[in-house]
Amino acid sequence: MKFKAFLTESGVGLLERRFLPALDKMGKVCHLLLTRDHAIFLHNLLNGDGVQSIAQFCKEALFDDYRISSQNEDKIAFVIDVSLLHRAVRSSVSICSEFGGGGAPTDRLQIKLVKKLSPNCTQPMPFLTFETKGYKSAVIQDVPISKPLSRAQLLELQAALNMAQDLPQTLVQVPNLNQLQNFVDRMKHVGDLLNVSISKYGDLHLQISTTLITLGAEFRKMLVIGDKAQEPLEDQNLSAQTRSQRAILRGDALSVQVSVRHFSKSLQCHLAKPDCTFYGIAPQGVCLTVIFQFFIPGTRQTDKSISLHCRLPVLDP
Amino acid sequence: MSSPAADLVFQVDNVQGMVDALSAVRWKRHQDAVLELSEHGVVLIVEETGCLQAKVYLQKELFIKYEYNAEVRPRFGVSLGLLVDCLNTFSVPGHPTVVEITYPGPDMELLLKSVDSADSCIYAEIRTRIPETVSWDYNFEPAGTKPHSFTVKSAALKEAIDDLEWPGSSIQIILKPVPPSVTFRGEGHGDLQIDFLYYANTDLLTAFHCDQQVSYRYKYKFLRATTSNIPSSVIKDNRGSKLSIGRGGMLKVQHLVSVARPSPSHIDSAGYQQPCRIAYIEFFVKPEEDDATNG
């Protein structure tokens, strides 16, 4: 089992300033799955009830000179502490910028899987090692990781990942993520359970309802991807609640109940600076899916080499 | 949907100002409040164990629309915490929102709805309840012809009361005509005395009226409630708070909170913000009864 690669400058930028801060908010630890072509960060895929997040990078988006081999079809996966990984990448960046003032292209950040005997241990432990070569010095940082997943565990993780790829039939584009986050953060004080309904007309309706208060927000006429429909004229002047109930009855909308905490957590992905955000409800209402899209810098074309999406578990009403 | 039969429909254009004003009387997590609606405005009242009462006066001039249709003044109870948290949800920084509030809804709820955008809308329905009767009468009467009173910078008042936390328990307030001064004195885990001398600190103590020495003791936790949640805007605007002691030692603490919209569009032709956009906040604190003649 071998893994060795060099992080590119843009790869370091993506991880250090965008994805690792976002993934750190999703949970302390995650699985890192490395394949021949991809590096995938996975949160909560095997342990049921949290927000699942899946951040997938083509190897070219992060690395060059990427070498991987293992007996499991060249796949390696392990559990890693996101904040430790973030710290290692961040300090490598500062070392590079300190020593490599001339911007020599040789200042490269190598990352590899190693087993080392650490003090107070009789067994060698696995680490992800970051090696930064400066002009006259080299700095090595070891990030502790779990034992690599066994073949059976890897198959289980791969199966969970395949399961998590189903797309909602209707996706609506939320234009202002900051505004939504602001609203949901304040809503948290009022209740714990959030009803979310999404219609083919491009309406997103959020509602918290307790015995003392009903608090909701409706965002209308958003861009729809997938199944869409024209809103009936007679629905235009109704209250938000009535409108979404009628759309559900008509089969033009789906509704699920999720935890407000989970919803707010999924919005933390804006730290990864996505260019578009879509919300949708998976078929049969099995989960609420949030898909983030990234553009190729300087264009409005989707960067297919990076993808990030979250799945929020649905609570039984 | 505001039906024409609603007792009151009003619109707020400075949600944050209203949140500030209502938060000023929020001294613990769960508090029941009573709202009284009238042709003059909205009054919110909170009370604690018959020793402390606070009122927030929101005059109708604070609102951009105020349609009052009731014949008998409506009165109902709500949870203060829920009302503040809910209003806070409507307040989006950097994005002024107009909220329309209607009472009663079909099930006697308080209805709130943002009205400024066609494509997004926030709404809320807050359950109300039949209010309990006011447990005691907070009629504030002057001891002589005029109540003993002084006006002090709100920031200085808050700082003094915060400092008195250390001796704690019971705080004595003494007003002396010669030399005109106010003393806060705490005795408990230690002694602490804070003096405001009228002639020495004219910028802190801006007004003073007292013709004979008075002295009463108040529970620290009630005094603290009067300043614990003073909105930061009050301190920033360098406002003063007025304290008066009436018959039997009843203490009245008054604060002024700005509910003006901070945008330039609301500066009127004379070039200054309308002075009437102020919410009045009053606390009434009963003194500790340390002799049998009181009450």
Side-chain angles (χ1 to χ4, degrees):
Chain A
M1 187 176 288
K2 278 183 186 153
F3 168 70
K4 193 168 105 176
F6 288 92
L7 267 168
T8 60
E9 204 177 318
S10 68
V12 169
L14 270 178
L15 289 179
E16 194 236 336
R17 268 178 249 125
R18 295 169 58 180
F19 278 82
L20 290 179
L23 296 178
D24 198 15
K25 298 277 184 192
M26 304 306 294
K28 189 174 155 48
V29 295
C30 72
H31 280 109
L32 176 55
L33 170 63
L34 301 163
T35 70
R36 278 176 208 139
D37 303 310
H38 293 102
I40 311 166
F41 293 88
L42 304 161
H43 271 95
N44 294 320
L45 246 70
L46 293 184
N47 43 340
D49 49 3
V51 177
Q52 295 185 341
S53 93
I54 296 154
Q56 177 169 306
F57 301 89
C58 279
K59 63 179 181 193
E60 293 81 10
L62 299 179
F63 306 105
D64 58 19
D65 204 357
Y66 180 94
R67 290 176 202 180
I68 188 165
S69 69
S70 87
Q71 288 169 351
N72 301 318
E73 298 168 328
D74 296 338
K75 284 179 188 161
I76 301 174
F78 45 83
V79 176
I80 189 164
D81 182 310
V82 184
S83 61
L84 289 185
L85 177 63
H86 190 196
R87 232 190 289 171
V89 175
R90 201 163 39 199
S91 64
S92 304
V93 170
S94 65
I95 291 164
C96 275
S97 54
E98 226 171 88
F99 292 106
T106 48
D107 304 341
R108 296 213 298 173
L109 178 54
Q110 192 188 57
I111 168 171
K112 66 181 174 189
L113 205 56
V114 296
K115 255 186 178 177
K116 274 188 186 173
L117 202 61
S118 58
N120 312 323
C121 261
T122 49
Q123 288 272 322
M125 304 288 285
F127 292 94
L128 198 61
T129 288
F130 288 76
E131 195 176 323
T132 320
K133 283 204 180 88
Y135 178 57
K136 278 183 179 168
S137 61
V139 177
I140 292 174
Q141 302 181 79
D142 293 327
V143 179
I145 57 172
S146 75
K147 247 179 73 179
L149 265 54
S150 68
R151 188 180 185 82
Q153 290 167 323
L154 200 62
L155 284 173
E156 196 187 348
L157 187 66
Q158 185 67 56
L161 179 59
N162 295 344
M163 288 269 292
Q165 301 295 350
D166 54 341
L167 272 183
Q169 273 154 356
T170 297
L171 285 165
V172 293
Q173 183 178 357
V174 177
N176 192 338
L177 217 53
N178 277 333
Q179 193 190 340
L180 186 63
Q181 180 170 28
N182 216 306
F183 173 70
V184 173
D185 280 348
R186 286 157 193 256
M187 226 175 170
K188 269 196 288 200
H189 298 284
V190 175
D192 302 323
L193 301 179
L194 184 68
N195 282 301
V196 181
S197 70
I198 293 171
S199 77
K200 293 178 186 172
Y201 321 135
D203 298 349
L204 171 68
H205 182 210
L206 308 175
Q207 191 188 67
I208 285 184
S209 191
T210 70
T211 49
L212 291 174
I213 189 170
T214 299
L215 174 62
E218 191 194 35
F219 303 93
R220 301 189 63 200
K221 299 182 180 150
M222 295 187 290
L223 180 81
V224 181
I225 291 185
D227 284 4
K228 51 187 107 177
Q230 188 66 43
E231 180 180 27
L233 272 178
E234 68 266 24
D235 278 15
Q236 301 256 330
N237 294 318
L238 297 172
S239 75
Q241 281 153 292
T242 322
R243 187 163 35 231
S244 82
Q245 276 160 9
R246 286 170 62 112
I248 292 167
L249 284 178
R250 223 181 271 127
D252 283 345
L254 283 177
S255 171
V256 288
Q257 193 172 60
V258 297
S259 143
V260 178
R261 222 166 33 81
H262 286 169
F263 195 87
S264 153
K265 208 178 224 187
S266 73
L267 286 166
Q268 298 286 345
C269 285
H270 80 86
L271 290 171
K273 303 193 179 86
D275 293 298
C276 301
T277 306
F278 298 92
Y279 275 81
I281 295 172
Q284 281 93 46
V286 291
C287 71
L288 177 69
T289 305
V290 198
I291 296 175
F292 300 95
Q293 265 186 1
F294 300 85
F295 291 155
I296 296 168
T299 71
R300 294 193 58 81
Q301 271 183 322
T302 308
D303 187 344
K304 297 233 169 74
S305 65
I306 308 171
S307 81
L308 173 63
H309 75 277
C310 296
R311 289 160 49 94
L312 280 68
V314 167
L315 310 170
D316 290 326
Chain B
M1 237 95 331
S2 54
S3 79
D7 287 345
L8 178 63
V9 180
F10 62 103
Q11 287 186 347
V12 184
D13 66 350
N14 180 348
V15 184
Q16 192 54 49
M18 220 169 126
V19 167
D20 282 351
L22 298 181
S23 301
V25 300
R26 193 178 179 187
W27 56 76
K28 59 178 184 182
R29 181 102 187 93
H30 297 288
Q31 264 174 298
D32 285 329
V34 172
L35 279 173
E36 289 179 354
L37 314 179
S38 74
E39 62 277 31
H40 305 298
V42 177
V43 183
L44 177 132
I45 306 160
V46 278
E47 246 181 63
E48 170 121 346
T49 56
C51 294
L52 173 66
Q53 189 189 60
K55 289 182 173 178
V56 181
Y57 295 90
L58 302 165
Q59 292 164 295
K60 68 174 181 190
E61 287 78 12
L62 297 183
F63 307 113
I64 48 174
K65 171 178 160 186
Y66 196 86
E67 287 175 12
Y68 178 79
N69 306 305
E71 282 171 14
V72 180
R73 290 181 177 181
R75 210 165 161 274
F76 56 89
V78 290
S79 151
L80 177 64
L82 211 54
L83 178 62
V84 171
D85 287 341
C86 175
L87 266 174
N88 210 10
T89 312
F90 286 81
S91 155
V92 183
H95 189 275
T97 318
V98 176
V99 180
E100 183 172 277
I101 303 179
T102 306
Y103 179 82
D107 204 15
M108 303 305 279
E109 315 96 320
L110 188 66
L111 305 178
L112 294 87
K113 187 174 75 172
S114 67
V115 290
D116 48 350
S117 164
D119 288 342
S120 72
C121 155
I122 303 176
Y123 63 88
E125 299 170 5
I126 304 178
R127 176 77 66 86
T128 64
R129 50 178 179 70
I130 298 164
E132 288 159 30
T133 47
V134 176
S135 56
W136 55 279
D137 201 1
Y138 288 77
N139 269 341
F140 183 87
E141 290 169 27
T145 48
K146 273 175 83 179
H148 306 292
S149 70
F150 61 96
T151 304
V152 62
K153 284 280 178 264
S154 304
L157 177 68
K158 181 175 169 55
E159 204 172 309
I161 292 180
D162 285 351
D163 286 347
L164 287 163
E165 184 175 12
W166 166 63
S169 69
S170 163
I171 306 297
Q172 191 176 13
I173 301 181
I174 308 155
L175 269 66
K176 269 191 218 148
V178 191
S181 64
V182 181
T183 301
F184 290 82
R185 194 174 159 71
E187 281 172 30
H189 309 299
D191 295 355
L192 179 66
Q193 179 168 323
I194 298 169
D195 295 310
F196 290 102
L197 299 167
Y198 182 52
Y199 292 121
N201 312 93
T202 41
D203 50 341
L204 283 184
L205 205 57
T206 50
F208 184 87
H209 177 266
C210 170
D211 48 18
Q212 65 179 86
Q213 177 167 339
V214 285
S215 157
Y216 288 96
R217 296 184 153 277
Y218 303 90
K219 265 205 176 1
Y220 177 72
K221 64 170 182 179
F222 295 148
L223 270 190
R224 191 184 148 77
T226 66
T227 55
S228 58
N229 267 325
I230 277 191
S232 56
S233 67
V234 170
I235 310 289
K236 210 168 64 196
D237 297 349
N238 198 21
R239 290 192 192 279
S241 298
K242 183 176 178 186
L243 283 79
S244 318
I245 294 178
R247 181 172 293 170
M250 171 87 82
L251 174 70
K252 179 160 87 172
V253 181
Q254 291 166 290
H255 305 301
L256 307 175
V257 177
S258 166
V259 190
R261 200 173 178 184
S263 82
S265 64
H266 270 249
I267 295 177
D268 64 17
S269 52
Y272 55 86
Q273 297 205 340
Q274 293 158 293
C276 54
R277 293 200 41 148
I278 292 285
Y280 297 87
I281 294 170
E282 283 182 359
F283 289 87
F284 297 93
V285 188
K286 262 191 173 179
E288 287 187 302
E289 295 184 12
D290 48 9
D291 57 78
T293 53
N294 273 357

